Amino acid sequence: MGNHCNLFNFPLSAPFACSGGIAATALLCMQTPSIVSPTALEAIVTSGANVGNVDATSNLLHDKVYIFDGQFDSVVNPGIGPKIQQFYGHFISDTGHIKTVFDIQAEHGQPTDNFGGPCNKLSHTDFMLNCNYSAAFDLLNFIYGGHLKRPNAHTSPAGKLLKFNQEVFFYVSTPSMYSMDDIGFIYVPSRCLDKSRSCKLHIAFHGCLMGQRYIGENYVSHAGYNEVGELNNIIILYPQVIKSLTNPQGCWDWWGYTGILFATKSGFQITAVERMLSKVLGL
């Protein structure tokens, strides 16, 4: 069905591998930019690629990266955004392939142009922010070269938002063992319901406290991706995480609660998502 894939998540988190597999360090990575060394993280990634724990860094050479960092973010210090920019700048050949949005007075959450609470106020209800700005459109439009059709107030997602069973993507365990939900969501645009049509695929990773167990379908229905996907033939995959004893806020694993493989391509969560991707792409 799909033939191209990209990934993104909101809200902003710390740089890749910054936690070192330690929860306390993860908190420092979010709140203390001065301790974050992009050079050290670049070395970790390069070393990991050399031994096969992550794919070759040359795969990043021509990629595009979008970084949103709200000026009023009280959860992740706004100074983290430039650190992430520096990290990716080491691997990407063209600085024009990195877009930063650091000038919006947004709190920690998903910026939208028509849904959520005040942009500059932290919404503990669902972390959805009405910023009169569609981050979903801006990032996808940037990634795809600036020529996507922009949704307006009258755009309706006429396709299907479907639930699917995440359990089938775990072969020797249950999803809950790795803090993943039994169900995930996928939005299939109306023109992509015909499986013979070639469509693109975007994987949207929700933030902490933003899975369906916490906020229902607010994220998967109102983040703005479905409208963009509908107009531009982009399927949106929404894998889901739940809370656990070692993951009390339902975050994706970026500090090692699923084990030492968490930041490698053999990590349990990313392996399951890769299987979802392969299923959608028909691989």
Side-chain angles (χ1 to χ4, degrees), residues 4-10 139-140 144 185 200-206 219 225 234-240 252 270 272-278 280-281:
H4 187 282
C5 175
N6 60 71
L7 305 91
F8 198 81
N9 76 296
F10 268 104
L139 77 91
L140 287 171
Y144 286 113
F185 294 84
K200 297 174 281 291
L201 171 65
H202 176 74
I203 302 177
F205 291 92
H206 64 74
Y219 180 76
Y225 294 110
I234 304 173
I235 297 166
I236 312 295
L237 178 65
Y238 298 100
Q240 297 286 299
W252 288 93
I270 200 64
V273 174
E274 182 184 26
R275 291 171 184 150
M276 298 175 196
L277 178 154
S278 296
V280 177
L281 296 181

Side-chain angles (χ1 to χ4, degrees), residues 14-255:
F16 177 82
C18 184
S19 72
I22 302 171
T25 305
L27 293 175
L28 288 174
C29 287
M30 292 194 301
Q31 299 165 357
T32 314
S34 61
I35 74 159
V36 177
S37 169
T39 302
L41 298 177
E42 292 155 14
I44 291 172
V45 171
T46 300
S47 175
N50 289 339
V51 298
N53 286 335
V54 297
D55 285 341
T57 58
S58 58
N59 292 334
L60 291 169
L61 193 61
H62 303 295
D63 277 358
K64 290 185 176 181
V65 173
Y66 168 98
I67 306 167
F68 181 94
D69 197 353
Q71 290 182 339
F72 287 8
D73 195 322
S74 62
V75 177
V76 178
N77 189 300
I80 296 297
K83 298 282 188 173
I84 296 174
Q85 179 183 10
Q86 183 181 337
F87 169 80
Y88 280 110
H90 177 76
F91 298 107
I92 294 175
S93 60
D94 185 348
T95 57
H97 282 190
I98 301 176
K99 178 172 184 175
T100 60
V101 180
F102 296 160
D103 60 351
I104 294 181
Q105 295 181 348
E107 244 290 0
H108 188 73
Q110 172 75 30
T112 80
D113 58 358
N114 58 17
F115 184 85
C119 188
N120 62 353
K121 302 293 184 183
L122 187 63
S123 170
H124 290 287
T125 302
D126 59 10
F127 296 91
M128 303 293 288
L129 306 174
N130 189 345
C131 295
N132 195 31
Y133 167 76
S134 174
F137 173 77
D138 201 20
L139 77 91
L140 287 171
N141 190 48
F142 173 68
I143 290 171
Y144 286 113
H147 304 295
L148 294 189
K149 298 176 183 177
R150 180 189 291 272
N152 58 40
H154 304 292
T155 302
S156 174
K160 292 185 177 180
L161 179 63
L162 305 170
K163 293 181 181 180
F164 67 91
N165 183 4
Q166 292 193 154
E167 291 187 77
V168 301
F169 301 102
F170 288 84
Y171 298 160
V172 295
S173 64
T174 61
S176 61
M177 183 174 292
Y178 302 109
S179 203
M180 289 192 69
D181 205 337
D182 292 340
I183 67 167
F185 294 84
I186 186 168
Y187 178 75
V188 184
S190 55
R191 288 186 295 275
C192 299
L193 293 170
D194 177 358
K195 294 184 179 181
S196 66
R197 182 183 291 271
S198 179
C199 292
K200 297 174 281 291
L201 171 65
H202 176 74
I203 302 177
F205 291 92
H206 64 74
C208 301
L209 299 170
M210 293 179 71
Q212 66 93 19
R213 294 280 188 99
Y214 287 97
I215 66 171
E217 297 185 10
N218 278 11
Y219 180 76
V220 302
S221 294
H222 300 295
Y225 294 110
N226 299 344
E227 289 81 0
V228 181
E230 177 64 27
L231 293 181
N232 298 281
N233 296 341
I234 304 173
I235 297 166
I236 312 295
L237 178 65
Y238 298 100
Q240 297 286 299
V241 167
I242 58 175
K243 68 178 180 179
S244 63
L245 288 176
T246 53
N247 178 31
Q249 294 190 325
C251 305
W252 288 93
D253 187 8
W254 61 278
W255 67 87

